Amino acid sequence: MLAILAFNSCKKDTRALDLTVAPVTTLDAPADQASFSLQPATGPSIVFKWEPSATQDLVLYEVAFDKANGDFSKPIYKVLSDGSGIQTQATITQKVLNTIASLAGVAASSTGTFKWAVIVSKATNAKVSTVNHTIQVTRPAGFAIVPDSLFLTGSSTEQGTDASKAIAFKNTGNGTFELYTSLQAGTYTMIDKRTGTPTVYSIQNNTNVVANGSTTVTGNKAVYRIDIDLSNAAANLTQIVSVGLWSAPDNKIWFTLPYIGNSQWELDNWPLVIPAESYGNDSRYKYQFTTINSAGVQSLEWYGSINSDNPDPGPTSPASYYYMYPVDNSQFNYCFKIDPNDNNKNINVNVNYSPGIPNYTNTITIH
């Protein structure tokens, strides 16, 4: 009897797991037919809200999006609700909504609609809400999905048509890219990767970026700064006519540096004589870029040190001493200085705007 009692006391009360899920029946916000003019970069996030499922146990919520004629059997996009799927709301950025609109077939710079519903799930069982709401959005110009990398390739580029050797742009953030390079007669495209099947972009009228296609270059070879903003489908090509090393004490350009390719300008074997002033030798210098914009207007750009004044450099000076920044045209401010030990020697001067280095920079070395 004692054995039977002991056995019975050890038996556990077991029951089948209840996977029943009650769908959401009420969507609160945004209201049906709500309209938004999307501003992906600056617009505030939009909060999607609904009434909770009647399911007693813990459930997970997702906001599901589909095309205007979709049935949510294969949503084009899903977002887990706030609180890792627990809360009955989801905070969604306008950047994400712009991506969803693109997936729904709404073109850039146009207005269209898509639908949203809520999926509630427990374990493997999931139910779509019994109601859905339609959203109307107006998309800005630009691409909803922008790559992290951008490359230049084609017969007019420095690396030719081999995509595996395409020239990388510098990623300057938020879908913007920059590249200093030369272009010659031929064609070029921009791609988001060097292997596989890349997404292709091209520049039209020197101002707009479009999907696919190519850009034709005519005339003589020239150096350009190519600025790309994929978020706004915009491009800006600025010709770099010349790069000159400008001496502050002499108040003039000592020499211009030839472009040598790979986003660099360099002059070798130049005889340096640091100007001797009444207050001592003065080696202050910065750079003057002569440029022509897409409208054909010529202007001067100045690049120098981030500091308004600098000590003389030496062998232990950090690399950041020579980093290049846009500066004003004042005669003596924001200048670099030359190592006094280089005076009366032949020097090599290099200006490096390669996208792969930490910061645009310049160097002066003994020839």
Side-chain angles (χ1 to χ4, degrees):
M1 289 293 293
L2 289 173
I4 294 173
L5 289 172
F7 176 78
N8 287 335
S9 66
C10 291
K11 291 178 65 179
K12 294 182 179 179
D13 182 17
T14 60
R15 57 176 178 168
L17 180 63
D18 184 4
L19 296 180
T20 303
V21 175
V24 168
T25 58
T26 304
L27 304 180
D28 294 329
D32 194 22
Q33 304 296 329
S35 180
F36 299 97
S37 182
L38 297 179
Q39 298 175 310
T42 60
S45 297
I46 297 172
V47 179
F48 290 70
K49 296 182 178 181
W50 55 91
E51 296 301 311
S53 164
T55 307
Q56 296 300 312
D57 298 325
L58 182 67
V59 294
L60 291 179
Y61 296 102
E62 291 177 294
V63 181
F65 296 90
D66 211 339
K67 296 181 179 180
N69 60 352
D71 60 4
F72 296 98
S73 58
K74 294 181 179 180
I76 59 174
Y77 204 93
K78 292 191 291 184
V79 177
L80 198 64
S81 76
D82 296 346
S84 300
I86 303 301
Q87 298 182 29
T88 56
Q89 70 171 46
T91 305
I92 303 177
T93 66
Q94 292 197 31
K95 181 178 180 180
V96 169
L97 290 175
N98 192 37
T99 299
I100 295 168
S102 177
L103 294 173
V106 183
S109 301
S110 64
T111 300
T113 60
F114 54 87
K115 299 190 297 188
W116 71 279
V118 174
I119 297 176
V120 58
S121 61
K122 182 170 64 172
T124 58
N125 198 12
K127 293 288 182 66
V128 179
S129 56
T130 59
V131 292
N132 60 74
H133 282 181
T134 296
I135 291 179
Q136 177 178 281
V137 297
T138 299
R139 289 189 57 206
F143 298 90
I145 302 174
V146 297
D148 294 326
S149 302
L150 193 66
F151 304 89
L152 189 73
T153 187
S155 61
S156 67
T157 73
E158 294 179 9
Q159 292 297 328
T161 57
D162 185 347
S164 68
K165 298 178 180 178
I167 306 166
F169 280 77
K170 185 181 185 69
N171 186 334
T172 54
N174 298 319
T176 59
F177 302 87
E178 182 177 74
L179 176 63
Y180 288 78
T181 191
S182 64
L183 296 172
Q184 61 186 3
T187 61
Y188 68 86
T189 60
M190 297 175 293
I191 55 178
D192 66 343
K193 57 185 177 181
R194 292 183 173 124
T195 59
T197 306
T199 301
V200 177
Y201 308 90
S202 62
I203 299 174
Q204 304 298 322
N205 302 318
N206 287 338
T207 57
N208 302 320
V209 179
V210 299
N212 302 313
S214 63
T215 306
T216 299
V217 179
T218 59
N220 296 327
K221 184 177 181 179
V223 182
Y224 295 90
R225 178 177 61 234
I226 306 174
D227 292 301
I228 303 296
D229 182 353
L230 292 180
S231 296
N232 292 297
N236 186 34
L237 272 70
T238 302
Q239 183 180 349
I240 311 298
V241 178
S242 65
V243 172
L245 187 145
W246 184 85
S247 166
D250 286 345
N251 196 22
K252 68 178 184 181
I253 291 177
W254 273 351
F255 52 79
T256 59
L257 289 78
Y259 181 74
I260 62 170
N262 296 322
S263 309
Q264 297 180 60
W265 293 259
E266 185 170 280
L267 181 71
D268 295 339
N269 199 24
W270 191 79
L272 171 66
V273 178
I274 297 176
E277 307 295 332
S278 60
Y279 49 83
N281 289 351
D282 191 340
S283 66
R284 283 177 286 184
Y285 73 95
K286 51 188 171 183
Y287 293 92
Q288 183 190 88
F289 284 37
T290 302
T291 65
I292 299 177
N293 65 18
S294 57
V297 178
Q298 182 171 302
S299 60
L300 301 178
E301 298 178 3
W302 295 85
Y303 295 88
S305 171
I306 196 172
N307 303 313
S308 60
D309 192 21
N310 281 303
D312 287 332
T316 61
S317 296
S320 59
Y321 182 96
Y322 296 99
Y323 285 174
M324 302 271 282
Y325 297 92
V327 298
D328 62 27
N329 64 350
S330 58
Q331 183 172 352
F332 293 103
N333 295 330
Y334 305 103
C335 290
F336 304 106
K337 291 183 179 179
I338 302 174
D339 187 338
N341 294 317
D342 295 348
N343 195 18
N344 298 311
K345 297 178 181 177
N346 285 15
I347 59 172
N348 301 332
V349 181
N350 177 276
V351 172
N352 190 344
Y353 273 58
S354 300
I357 60 178
N359 203 90
Y360 299 147
T361 190
N362 78 108
T363 56
I364 294 181
T365 56
I366 299 297
H367 180 71

